[in-house]
Amino acid sequence: MSSAWRIEYQPRAQRQLKKLDPTAAGRIVRTLREQLARYGDPRGFGEAMVGNWTGFWRYRAGDYRAICRIEDARLIVVVVEVAHRREVYR
């Protein structure tokens, strides 16, 4: 089953992925792609964020987190931040 949703990476998130170990970076990208294909809705597998991050969603890939903005009108999940869980919320 193919999802109508697409995933885009902001330049900052792309730079962060390139700095990561290739295994970890691949796991993050694969997790987002596979979970979106499985659920068909980005809200089906992530968690809504609160506080300063209200309006964003977080997705887990092992010890890493991807912080995303969901654009319903364009059916796009925009990855804005990727980092280890101990650093991503700073």
Side-chain angles (χ1 to χ4, degrees):
M1 177 174 86
S2 165
S3 173
W5 288 85
R6 289 183 302 133
I7 300 172
E8 288 184 359
Y9 296 84
Q10 286 191 337
R12 176 183 171 103
Q14 289 175 346
R15 286 190 305 272
Q16 290 169 331
L17 279 171
K18 285 180 185 175
K19 289 180 184 178
L20 293 177
D21 163 331
T23 304
R27 182 177 186 180
I28 293 165
V29 171
R30 191 174 49 255
T31 296
L32 288 172
R33 188 177 54 236
E34 289 174 358
Q35 293 296 332
L36 190 56
R38 178 183 298 158
Y39 289 94
D41 179 3
R43 291 176 181 87
F45 64 97
E47 290 185 44
M49 297 184 70
V50 295
N52 293 337
W53 291 97
T54 297
F56 290 87
W57 285 73
R58 73 173 172 240
Y59 300 97
R60 242 182 92 222
D63 287 337
Y64 290 88
R65 303 294 182 265
I67 307 299
C68 303
R69 181 179 67 242
I70 299 173
E71 296 185 8
D72 291 297
R74 295 175 42 200
L75 294 178
I76 294 176
V77 176
V78 181
V79 181
V80 296
E81 184 97 18
V82 175
H84 192 276
R85 63 185 172 88
R86 72 174 166 253
E87 299 165 355
V88 76
Y89 306 114
R90 293 182 183 172

